[in-house]
Amino acid sequence: MHLICTVIIIVSLTSALPAQPYQPTLTIPNGVLQGDIGITVNMNPFYKFEGIPYAKPPVNDLRFEPPEDIEPWEGIWKATTQTRCMQYDHYRQDSDDNYVVHGDEDCLYVNVYTHMLGEGANMDVLVFIHGGAFMFGSGFSYGPEIIMDRKVVFVTFNYRLGPLGFLSTEDEELPGNLGLRDQIKALQWVKENIQYFGGNPESITIFGLSAGGASVHFHYLSPESTGLFKAGISQSGCMLNPWVLAEHSKQKTARLADLIGCPTGSSREIVQCLKTKPAAEIVGAVKFFLNFLYNPFSPFGIVVDGYWSKNPVLPDHPYKLLLEGKVQDLPWLISHTTAEGLYPAFDFYSNDQHLIDIDTKWNEIIPFVLHYNESVEPRLKDDVSRQIREHYLGENRVTKDTYNTLVKLIGDRLFLSDIETSARLQSIATESDVFSYAYSYRGAVSKSNPRTGSNVDIGCSHGDDTIYILKTDLDTLSTDQDKQMSQIFVDLITSFMNKTVPNITEWKPVSKTPEAEFAQLKIDGPTETAMVYRTEIGERSFWHSLPFRENHFLDVIIDKDEL
């Protein structure tokens, strides 16, 4: 049934009665849902069903266990609740500037937004995987009010975060990647149920920002995700970025257990004890793994569970999987902004003391900001830090005057250089096209605004493209130019969803020849797009010359005899 027709019928039948909000109902295999009505930015109505369980609550004995199928419920499930997984939130602080623990352990819920209910509508489906460094965020980090002006089905969901989602004892007791197993379970739910919401289960595109972008890339590499989607979009994140794979997870898990009073004699003792502790106590222990503000911003992340699990979701290192062509042969779109390093550098902008600390304690702080404290041999670390400083800053100090250089340095290391590597390797490994864009348009607002407390233009921030597609608290539709930018992005996304090819005809895919220049669409504004061909992006050659035990130095970091 179509929403507008339904609303007209309801209004006409009840015009003589007191006004009652219309709450749509829908029957799916697990039971009856009751949802609500949403309104787009252009005042078009849509159905919304928020807080649908896709797995059993991962609490008590199910904590640190793979997600289990939800059982059918009796009566009507009111799908009108917004939940968030428990997290140590980078974006929420108390009056003393301490990061806050909030959210619920019972959090495995999916949210569906649609224009039509019932089978047969066959609308394209967009599933958004939220970011947040695998540490924070939720399915409600971004809203549907912009994208739902198009006739699509839009889906978001939560997955376990931080210690509750990514602890690992590096053995069968707690193999790790529970948050990724949640994602797989959610995608399976979408595949099996989206037809009842008017969606086409054969036309599912997955889309994510930052850790969500890396998650999208993960699903190309995991055999468990085969058949669950037809294409993917990764904004500002991929599996080869240095903050994605967690180092020394076994030691971190033991340390966390010790911090909250659990024995650490064996993996089984650790897990059994952690299951008895308050979830907030486990998540609150994250503060002991942060060395400078919220850095390193992803202390608990993905592990290569194929080294120790009988049923892994990531069978081998992603770099090796890409080299060997063990990746789903599906179209992929991967992008970055021109000032990616504003995450996390926007935390440094409004407090000069932070810049002073970085400048005067460079060797002490920068390994945590750039996520190489655990991937460089201790005897080499100071020399690596010196080389980075000399390459980007020369003899200059870290000040407001060189702040943009610091942002570029951070963005090149944490995002750009390995986005290029991932795009090149995946294009070579598959017959499907890989598309890439570089985005530099900074509209009336930016994601850097709330973190800096200022509207000063300090660049096109990490996430500044996403906010033109999905709704946030920032008003990205306040000017005609911003509205036009939003229209272009929504057109781009929906065309890729439908045909797995962007609607911009000049856009050429990444070459399948290793020596070719890197092809990107450069988006400088709503009327400024052009193809560019670069030797490299993000100073890739420099970063790959450093002795980081990651990716292309795979043989150095992987010694299976030690596992």
Side-chain angles (χ1 to χ4, degrees):
M1 54 182 166
H2 196 283
L3 176 57
I4 295 176
C5 295
T6 302
V7 171
I8 291 173
I9 292 170
I10 294 294
V11 170
S12 64
L13 290 176
T14 60
S15 57
L17 301 174
Q20 297 290 331
Y22 172 60
Q23 293 183 301
T25 59
L26 174 67
T27 300
I28 64 174
N30 274 333
V32 180
L33 297 169
Q34 183 179 77
D36 210 338
I37 302 295
I39 302 295
T40 71
V41 292
N42 289 318
M43 302 305 293
N44 293 312
F46 60 89
Y47 297 115
K48 59 180 184 178
F49 295 85
E50 298 177 324
I52 309 167
Y54 70 82
K56 290 180 180 178
V59 300
N60 302 321
D61 288 340
L62 294 184
R63 180 189 287 173
F64 299 125
E65 299 294 337
E68 295 189 2
D69 289 336
I70 192 73
E71 294 177 357
W73 56 82
E74 296 182 359
I76 297 176
W77 186 281
K78 292 189 178 296
T80 55
T81 303
Q82 296 189 356
T83 60
R84 289 163 175 78
C85 286
M86 189 167 289
Q87 58 197 268
Y88 192 75
D89 197 343
H90 187 176
Y91 291 162
R92 187 177 295 188
Q93 293 166 272
D94 62 21
S95 57
D96 295 322
D97 290 334
N98 298 309
Y99 300 109
V100 172
V101 174
H102 69 100
D104 299 303
E105 193 174 9
D106 175 3
C107 64
L108 300 185
Y109 297 92
V110 65
N111 316 298
V112 182
Y113 308 91
T114 184
H115 292 283
M116 301 178 71
L117 299 177
E119 301 178 60
N122 280 331
M123 289 182 286
D124 295 325
V125 181
L126 184 66
V127 181
F128 183 72
I129 305 174
H130 75 80
F134 304 108
M135 299 294 295
F136 56 93
S138 78
F140 296 102
S141 297
Y142 293 84
E145 289 82 6
I146 296 176
I147 192 71
M148 287 308 294
D149 268 321
R150 302 302 175 88
K151 290 297 185 287
V152 299
V153 180
F154 180 61
V155 181
T156 66
F157 60 85
N158 300 330
Y159 55 95
R160 282 173 282 182
L161 301 165
L164 294 176
F166 292 93
L167 279 185
S168 173
T169 54
E170 298 185 1
D171 56 28
E172 287 289 0
E173 287 297 327
L174 183 53
N177 294 338
L178 288 169
L180 298 181
R181 291 182 184 274
D182 293 343
Q183 290 186 17
I184 293 167
K185 180 66 73 175
L187 291 178
Q188 290 170 340
W189 184 95
V190 173
K191 184 77 171 180
E192 294 166 3
N193 289 276
I194 206 64
Q195 60 185 323
Y196 305 107
F197 297 86
N200 181 356
E202 302 305 317
S203 184
I204 297 170
T205 300
I206 56 176
F207 170 36
L209 163 67
S210 195
S215 296
V216 167
H217 197 200
F218 157 79
H219 291 293
Y220 281 81
L221 301 173
S222 178
E224 297 297 313
S225 302
T226 301
L228 297 180
F229 64 102
K230 74 171 188 180
I233 303 168
S234 294
Q235 290 182 326
S236 306
C238 64
M239 283 295 289
L240 299 190
N241 285 144
W243 43 270
V244 172
L245 294 183
E247 297 92 357
H248 304 143
S249 292
K250 181 176 183 177
Q251 293 91 326
K252 288 177 183 175
T253 300
R255 182 186 173 203
L256 186 146
D258 183 62
L259 284 167
I260 61 174
C262 283
T264 59
S266 71
S267 296
R268 178 162 294 185
E269 285 180 309
I270 290 173
V271 175
Q272 287 178 341
C273 179
L274 287 177
K275 285 186 174 185
T276 70
K277 295 292 184 178
E281 190 175 347
I282 295 171
V283 175
V286 167
K287 65 184 176 184
F288 296 107
F289 295 84
L290 305 179
N291 297 79
F292 178 68
L293 304 177
Y294 205 106
N295 296 281
F297 58 68
S298 186
F300 300 98
I302 296 174
V303 294
V304 185
D305 55 345
Y307 296 157
W308 50 76
S309 175
K310 295 176 182 177
N311 181 33
V313 294
L314 187 61
D316 211 332
H317 192 285
Y319 189 84
K320 187 176 180 182
L321 293 173
L322 286 167
L323 283 179
E324 295 177 352
K326 295 177 180 177
V327 54
Q328 290 201 60
D329 193 351
L330 300 170
W332 187 35
L333 195 162
I334 182 166
S335 67
H336 66 83
T337 68
T338 50
E340 288 287 359
L342 283 172
Y343 185 81
F346 45 40
D347 281 346
F348 315 151
Y349 184 80
S350 58
N351 188 330
D352 288 342
Q353 186 59 50
H354 296 331
L355 295 178
I356 292 170
D357 288 341
I358 293 171
D359 182 61
T360 59
K361 303 174 184 176
W362 179 270
N363 286 8
E364 179 184 338
I365 290 174
I366 208 66
F368 296 106
V369 175
L370 299 183
H371 281 256
Y372 65 82
N373 186 63
E374 297 175 304
S375 62
V376 172
E377 291 185 34
R379 63 184 178 85
L380 301 177
K381 199 178 303 177
D382 284 351
D383 186 59
V384 167
S385 300
R386 176 191 58 77
Q387 289 185 61
I388 294 169
R389 181 164 187 148
E390 287 181 357
H391 184 80
Y392 281 88
L393 290 162
E395 299 297 320
N396 295 317
R397 306 288 299 272
V398 178
T399 65
K400 278 284 178 64
D401 291 336
T402 58
Y403 176 78
N404 288 339
T405 302
L406 180 66
V407 170
K408 174 174 168 49
L409 179 165
I410 295 171
D412 287 354
R413 161 62 179 164
L414 297 183
F415 299 99
L416 269 67
S417 61
D418 291 312
I419 282 175
E420 179 191 346
T421 302
S422 295
R424 284 184 180 274
L425 289 177
Q426 186 142 327
S427 183
I428 293 167
T430 63
E431 293 185 6
S432 300
D433 284 331
V434 173
F435 294 91
S436 180
Y437 73 76
Y439 181 67
S440 64
Y441 175 72
R442 202 275 193 189
V445 294
S446 165
K447 286 200 74 174
S448 64
N449 294 162
R451 297 302 297 178
T452 62
S454 165
N455 197 32
V456 174
D457 183 355
I458 52 176
C460 181
S461 174
H462 183 75
D464 272 0
D465 44 359
T466 314
I467 58 179
Y468 287 91
I469 304 162
L470 305 178
K471 190 76 175 70
T472 67
D473 292 336
L474 297 169
D475 185 0
T476 53
L477 302 174
S478 63
T479 70
D480 288 342
Q481 195 169 15
D482 280 2
K483 290 177 183 177
Q484 191 177 357
M485 193 74 256
S486 179
Q487 183 84 359
I488 288 169
F489 261 121
V490 174
D491 284 345
L492 188 165
I493 297 296
T494 53
S495 67
F496 192 73
M497 290 169 61
N498 187 252
K499 300 183 183 298
T500 66
V501 175
N503 64 320
I504 301 173
T505 56
E506 65 189 295
W507 198 342
K508 306 300 181 186
V510 175
S511 175
K512 298 185 179 299
T513 302
E515 299 79 14
E517 292 182 312
F518 188 59
Q520 285 190 302
L521 184 72
K522 189 168 180 280
I523 305 175
D524 295 330
T527 60
E528 301 173 76
T529 61
M531 283 301 301
V532 292
Y533 298 88
R534 312 178 194 273
T535 303
E536 64 178 16
I537 64 172
E539 308 265 2
R540 185 169 69 110
S541 297
F542 168 73
W543 292 105
H544 286 195
S545 73
L546 299 174
F548 300 129
R549 293 176 291 179
E550 55 194 33
N551 297 338
H552 57 292
F553 287 140
L554 196 59
D555 292 338
V556 177
I557 64 170
I558 297 176
D559 183 351
K560 294 187 179 180
D561 291 337
E562 296 179 0
L563 297 171

